[in-house]
Amino acid sequence: MNGGHAKGKVLDIKVADIKAVAPTFQHQAVKLSEALTTLITALDGYGKPWGDDKPGKDFGKKYTPNQKHIERATGILVLGLTSIHEAMDDMADGHVDNDELIKGMFTKVKRHGSGHDGDHAGDHGKDGHR
């Protein structure tokens, strides 16, 4: 049941892996955007190739809204892929920042002039009490 993870390890985040895969989402967003542009250009270039008779008009009434729906949906996918790229970069940066914060919480700091580290267990207040 360990799912390929080391025993006892619940979450194994490798910042380098996140940073390495994040650009893939942006690359695919660009490719999808280019494909959408090609599709729109081609379809718009055809004009309205259906006839002006009743079946042609009925087809056009259904075709045009569906075409616009596909264009909008694909545009949303492009934005989603770009958003995933940005979120992965932010997540990797946040993970590094969090690691630094936690490391700082558990690192003793030298006190200037005392020669003692930041452990204040032996410090006493003005009245000699802790």
Side-chain angles (χ1 to χ4, degrees):
M1 179 164 152
N2 73 8
H5 296 290
K7 186 173 182 168
K9 199 166 210 174
V10 176
L11 187 59
D12 185 19
I13 298 174
K14 291 183 176 56
V15 175
D17 291 346
I18 295 170
K19 287 283 194 184
V21 78
T24 302
F25 289 92
Q26 183 61 31
H27 176 72
Q28 294 303 324
V30 169
K31 287 178 68 173
L32 184 57
S33 180
E34 290 169 350
L36 177 59
T37 299
T38 300
L39 176 67
I40 292 170
T41 302
L43 293 177
D44 288 349
Y46 295 137
K48 297 180 180 180
W50 49 87
D52 199 25
D53 57 358
K54 172 120 173 71
K57 288 179 182 178
D58 288 344
F59 177 81
K61 285 180 185 175
K62 293 177 183 172
Y63 177 89
T64 302
N66 285 328
Q67 176 188 349
K68 296 302 174 196
H69 179 73
I70 289 170
E71 292 169 4
R72 279 191 304 274
T74 306
I76 290 169
L77 289 173
V78 169
L79 294 175
L81 289 169
T82 300
S83 179
I84 291 170
H85 168 249
E86 292 168 356
M88 290 183 85
D89 275 346
D90 289 347
M91 181 173 55
D93 293 343
H95 186 68
V96 169
D97 292 346
N98 188 55
D99 280 353
E100 291 299 316
L101 175 67
I102 291 171
K103 186 188 326 178
M105 295 167 94
F106 293 99
T107 302
K108 292 185 177 184
V109 179
K110 281 266 193 198
R111 289 177 45 205
H112 296 292
S114 71
H116 299 290
D117 61 24
D119 184 3
H120 299 287
D123 289 351
H124 298 281
K126 287 182 182 178
D127 61 2
H129 297 97
R130 287 186 177 202

